[in-house]
Amino acid sequence: MTDTPRANPGYKRIATEEAFATREMLDHYLKLVQDGIDDPGFQSLWGFYIQSDAARPRFIRDHLVDLGEKRLAHMDESGIDMAVLSLTAPGVQIMTRDNAVGFSVDANDQLAEACRKHPDRFVGLAAAAPQDPQHAAKEIERGVTKLGLKGVIINSHTNGEYLDDEKFWPIFEAAQALDVPIYIHPRGMSRDIIKPFVEAGLDGAIYGFGVETGLHLLRIITKGVFDRYPNLKIIVGHMGEALPFWMFRLEYMHEATVRSNRYESMKPLKRKMSDYLRDNVYITSSGVGWEPAVRFSQQVLGIDNVMYAMDYPYQYNIAEVMALDNMQIAPADLKKFYQTNAERVFRI
Amino acid sequence: MTDTPRANPGYKRIATEEAFATREMLDHYLKLVQDGIDDPGFQSLWGFYIQSDAARPRFIRDHLVDLGEKRLAHMDESGIDMAVLSLTAPGVQIMTRDNAVGFSVDANDQLAEACRKHPDRFVGLAAAAPQDPQHAAKEIERGVTKLGLKGVIINSHTNGEYLDDEKFWPIFEAAQALDVPIYIHPRGMSRDIIKPFVEAGLDGAIYGFGVETGLHLLRIITKGVFDRYPNLKIIVGHMGEALPFWMFRLEYMHEATVRSNRYESMKPLKRKMSDYLRDNVYITSSGVGWEPAVRFSQQVLGIDNVMYAMDYPYQYNIAEVMALDNMQIAPADLKKFYQTNAERVFRI
């Protein structure tokens, strides 16, 4: 067994949840941490990543800001043909409204510049500031039509608020009108739920991220966003934040709860929970280079709904690429997973 | 296709997460609701179930308190040979210390009486009051040695506290010494995390239950409980509250987090996350009568770790029994799922 993925496997490997940061944003994060910003999820995550001298946070800091040689060398080494880049969590969503607007524009400009320099290797998603939904919608339009970006990155909650709140719906409006997907990525958990997670060290990628991002998508679905925006596409990573595994129970209990009229906030929907998950939701394998979960998700969502992602630089792990290359699925389905689903969803 | 499960399928169907309540406890719940007890998870769940006139809560109230003819008729109708009964959530864990102690003893006496009357149909798990860990340990011993009960039911958190807190460890000590499993069942989410779930109607069985119970088990594992009690068995329902699906990421991120020394509370463990899930954890299919999730869990945990449960009367659904009878797995494995795993784990 070699220790690098095989060349020319019959498909391009497109990695769809790859993170970058601008230097200016990391400097700003350092200042927010040092100023003691009152956001326990941000302090837990970036208080560690921005200041620790351990090997993992140093690696991550160094490679987040590289949109050139180091990143391309790692992509070559791990057989990744193309990376779909997005501003790392929490992006601008930790900032004041004015800073968020300014940093989102700057990050999109820097990202577009890197994509222009390396058009065969990089595409990008537009950052946006939910703190100002009208500006966010305009910036998404600028990102897609002027800068050539391929979708939108939203790093979960914004100050504890979720996109099911109608004030944020200009973002959905813009994404549907432009026919680009919105990728909802985890960030540090909101102050409203972090306590029993963070006190046990479970607030981050190990579990809390998945909980909060899964909750976010469920709030969007059950609020009826896809009834209002039937062509909207939302992507979640980390094998769908486990929602494919919950699908049966989500559907059974949603129907039972609506029928019993238990909540003012949970009204009947036009379609079933599983319909939304299959028709409007796409998932990626970020952080989960594990054949059983990939195949399960392909089985229950559909072969067209599951895309490859590495989660670089948070999970730079070549062995996972090789494991996924060797999945016991039809070559045509492996090509969908690595290449053609991403080409279709992001219109690459 | 008939509309009842086939008789004599070659295995006994043992349903392992079946709920009951004493009339006295439901009366006490009604009083707690009416007195406006300050527990948002309890108010959300029992404020509805105990007072609503909708069909679902009426059915549940009526059938929780039946440990005789109505329940047996439903078991006959759905092909269930034997039910492993446990006091419904939150059991005594919502009560004052003194009430919890008294109600746990009474519930165990009533349950044992029903099991004596119907020894071929019912076995039971002992309730215990974590509010008084020493009493809980003694009551578990009484329940097992004097009353013939087969394990312990713990309805997740107790006033926002989880069993990883060492003050609760007499409960683990007793269960290991008696060689009986502890079933950790969801209850209304704690006040520390319920807000963004309950405002969207997502705090109950649809999603929040799984989040909090998954968190509970992860806190137990990462605290090192199984290093201290290596023969302890813990059961979680609802297809393992999705932890089998998260297993790869749990293991990767636990190792990365420990290595980087990020949390004082997350120390190295003797074994891997997947080892604990496979060696100490058993899961049931309660609420998830869905072949893909059952087979996935059998694949990644092991065929001996997955047991059948119906979740009666919360999910009385004969079609699910028929669907699981028809799973495309070897007859010997189907027998393990329905019968022999439960016989071994509960020593029936």
Side-chain angles (χ1 to χ4, degrees):
Chain A
M1 191 166 160
T2 65
D3 56 1
T4 53
R6 63 181 183 278
N8 308 314
Y11 43 81
K12 281 169 71 170
R13 296 188 192 89
I14 303 177
T16 57
E17 188 203 290
E18 315 308 306
F20 83 101
T22 67
R23 275 190 195 283
E24 297 78 6
M25 189 176 84
L26 290 195
D27 291 344
H28 189 68
Y29 281 5
L30 179 61
K31 187 168 171 347
L32 292 176
V33 167
Q34 288 174 339
D35 289 352
I37 187 172
D38 178 26
D39 183 307
F42 184 78
Q43 288 287 0
S44 172
L45 187 69
W46 280 101
F48 174 71
Y49 279 134
I50 205 87
Q51 298 185 122
S52 167
D53 279 332
R56 177 173 164 79
R58 277 195 288 111
F59 179 89
I60 288 170
R61 280 198 302 272
D62 288 351
H63 292 83
L64 275 173
V65 294
D66 185 279
L67 287 174
E69 295 317 314
K70 279 201 282 192
R71 185 179 294 258
L72 290 167
H74 277 157
M75 288 170 63
D76 292 341
E77 205 176 342
S78 53
I80 303 303
D81 296 284
M82 179 171 269
V84 180
L85 299 167
S86 52
L87 190 64
T88 199
V92 304
Q93 291 168 247
I94 186 69
M95 303 177 186
T96 63
R97 182 264 169 209
D98 286 355
N99 280 333
V101 162
F103 273 93
S104 66
V105 171
D106 180 55
N108 290 337
D109 287 340
Q110 292 196 37
L111 176 56
E113 175 64 24
C115 296
R116 271 192 299 272
K117 269 194 198 154
H118 305 284
D120 299 334
R121 308 302 300 278
F122 296 155
V123 296
L125 306 184
Q131 295 94 326
D132 184 338
Q134 278 66 33
H135 184 276
K138 277 188 210 151
E139 180 60 14
I140 291 166
E141 190 183 355
R142 184 184 81 96
V144 174
T145 62
K146 300 283 197 300
L147 301 179
L149 299 175
K150 303 295 188 184
V152 182
I153 181 79
I154 297 287
N155 286 298
S156 200
H157 72 89
T158 304
N159 201 21
E161 294 185 310
Y162 298 87
L163 295 182
D164 60 291
D165 187 322
E166 294 201 28
K167 73 181 176 188
F168 295 122
W169 291 15
I171 293 170
F172 295 138
E173 190 82 39
Q176 177 173 276
L178 295 159
D179 193 20
V180 294
I182 299 175
Y183 202 124
I184 301 185
H185 185 283
R187 60 169 282 198
M189 301 183 90
S190 85
R191 74 185 70 246
D192 291 330
I193 58 176
I194 198 173
K195 179 176 175 290
F197 294 86
V198 71
E199 66 190 19
L202 294 166
D203 57 309
I206 189 171
Y207 189 60
F209 281 3
V211 164
E212 183 151 282
T213 311
L215 171 68
H216 197 157
L217 180 54
L218 288 177
R219 288 180 61 124
I220 288 170
I221 296 172
T222 56
K223 187 63 171 282
V225 167
F226 293 120
D227 288 344
R228 176 92 157 263
Y229 302 103
N231 298 317
L232 181 65
K233 296 184 190 75
I234 289 187
I235 306 170
V236 287
H238 317 101
M239 293 318 300
E241 311 294 2
L243 297 191
F245 192 75
W246 282 121
M247 192 161 72
F248 180 94
R249 190 157 167 82
L250 292 170
E251 184 151 305
Y252 184 97
M253 286 297 167
H254 185 262
E255 287 176 2
T257 308
V258 166
R259 209 162 42 229
S260 66
N261 215 8
R262 177 168 163 190
Y263 297 95
E264 187 58 35
S265 54
M266 188 171 278
K267 292 298 180 197
L269 298 175
K270 289 188 185 164
R271 292 180 279 152
K272 294 189 295 179
M273 291 293 287
S274 57
D275 292 332
Y276 300 106
L277 288 170
R278 289 180 181 131
D279 298 344
N280 296 95
V281 174
Y282 297 81
I283 75 169
T284 81
S285 67
S286 53
V288 189
W290 191 39
E291 177 171 3
V294 173
R295 292 181 62 182
F296 175 89
S297 301
Q298 289 174 327
Q299 180 192 354
V300 305
L301 292 183
I303 194 74
D304 295 328
N305 292 55
V306 185
M307 300 182 282
Y308 172 70
M310 176 178 275
D311 211 352
Y312 180 92
Y314 294 99
Q315 197 151 340
Y316 180 52
N317 192 333
I318 298 176
E320 291 177 17
V321 180
M322 292 188 285
L324 294 174
D325 276 347
N326 290 322
M327 287 194 292
Q328 297 302 302
I329 61 177
D333 291 344
L334 200 56
K335 186 169 183 166
K336 285 186 172 192
F337 171 70
Y338 266 117
Q339 176 183 347
T340 51
N341 287 344
E343 289 175 339
R344 189 185 72 255
V345 172
F346 295 106
R347 294 193 287 138
I348 296 173
Chain B
M1 193 166 159
T2 66
D3 56 2
T4 53
R6 63 180 182 278
N8 308 312
Y11 42 81
K12 282 168 70 172
R13 296 188 191 89
I14 303 177
T16 57
E17 188 204 291
E18 315 309 304
F20 84 101
T22 66
R23 274 192 196 284
E24 296 79 7
M25 189 175 85
L26 290 195
D27 291 344
H28 189 68
Y29 282 5
L30 179 61
K31 189 169 169 350
L32 292 175
V33 166
Q34 288 173 339
D35 289 353
I37 187 172
D38 178 25
D39 183 307
F42 184 77
Q43 288 287 1
S44 172
L45 188 67
W46 280 101
F48 175 71
Y49 279 134
I50 205 86
Q51 299 185 121
S52 168
D53 280 331
R56 176 173 164 81
R58 278 194 288 110
F59 179 88
I60 289 170
R61 280 198 303 273
D62 288 350
H63 292 83
L64 275 174
V65 295
D66 185 278
L67 287 173
E69 296 318 311
K70 278 200 282 191
R71 184 179 296 257
L72 289 167
H74 277 157
M75 288 171 63
D76 291 343
E77 206 175 343
S78 53
I80 304 303
D81 295 283
M82 178 171 267
V84 180
L85 299 167
S86 52
L87 190 64
T88 199
V92 303
Q93 291 167 248
I94 187 69
M95 303 178 188
T96 63
R97 182 264 169 210
D98 287 356
N99 280 333
V101 163
F103 274 93
S104 66
V105 170
D106 180 55
N108 291 336
D109 287 340
Q110 292 196 39
L111 176 57
E113 176 63 22
C115 296
R116 270 191 300 272
K117 270 194 199 155
H118 305 285
D120 299 334
R121 308 303 300 276
F122 295 156
V123 296
L125 306 183
Q131 295 94 327
D132 184 338
Q134 277 67 34
H135 183 277
K138 277 187 207 148
E139 180 59 14
I140 290 166
E141 190 183 356
R142 186 185 79 96
V144 173
T145 61
K146 299 283 197 297
L147 301 179
L149 299 175
K150 302 295 189 185
V152 181
I153 181 78
I154 297 288
N155 287 297
S156 200
H157 72 90
T158 304
N159 201 22
E161 295 184 311
Y162 297 86
L163 295 181
D164 61 289
D165 188 323
E166 295 202 27
K167 72 181 176 188
F168 295 123
W169 291 15
I171 294 170
F172 295 137
E173 190 83 39
Q176 178 174 276
L178 295 159
D179 193 20
V180 294
I182 298 175
Y183 203 123
I184 301 185
H185 185 284
R187 59 168 284 197
M189 301 184 90
S190 84
R191 74 186 69 247
D192 291 331
I193 58 177
I194 198 173
K195 179 176 176 288
F197 294 85
V198 71
E199 66 191 18
L202 294 165
D203 56 309
I206 188 170
Y207 188 60
F209 281 4
V211 165
E212 182 151 281
T213 311
L215 170 68
H216 198 158
L217 180 54
L218 288 177
R219 288 180 61 125
I220 288 170
I221 296 172
T222 56
K223 187 63 172 282
V225 167
F226 293 120
D227 288 344
R228 176 93 155 263
Y229 301 103
N231 298 316
L232 181 65
K233 295 184 191 73
I234 290 186
I235 305 170
V236 286
H238 317 102
M239 292 319 300
E241 311 295 4
L243 298 191
F245 193 76
W246 281 121
M247 191 161 73
F248 180 95
R249 189 155 167 84
L250 291 170
E251 184 151 305
Y252 184 97
M253 286 298 167
H254 184 263
E255 286 175 3
T257 308
V258 166
R259 208 163 42 230
S260 65
N261 216 9
R262 177 169 162 191
Y263 297 95
E264 186 60 35
S265 55
M266 186 170 280
K267 294 297 182 197
L269 298 174
K270 288 187 185 165
R271 292 179 280 151
K272 294 189 296 181
M273 292 293 287
S274 57
D275 292 331
Y276 300 106
L277 289 170
R278 289 180 180 131
D279 298 344
N280 296 93
V281 174
Y282 297 81
I283 75 169
T284 80
S285 67
S286 52
V288 189
W290 191 38
E291 177 171 2
V294 173
R295 292 182 62 182
F296 175 88
S297 301
Q298 290 174 326
Q299 178 193 355
V300 305
L301 293 183
I303 194 75
D304 295 329
N305 292 54
V306 185
M307 300 182 283
Y308 171 70
M310 177 177 274
D311 211 353
Y312 180 91
Y314 294 100
Q315 197 152 340
Y316 180 52
N317 192 335
I318 298 176
E320 292 177 18
V321 179
M322 292 189 286
L324 295 173
D325 276 348
N326 290 322
M327 287 194 292
Q328 298 301 302
I329 61 177
D333 292 343
L334 200 56
K335 185 168 185 167
K336 286 186 172 193
F337 172 70
Y338 267 116
Q339 176 183 346
T340 52
N341 287 344
E343 289 175 337
R344 189 184 71 254
V345 172
F346 295 106
R347 294 193 287 137
I348 295 173

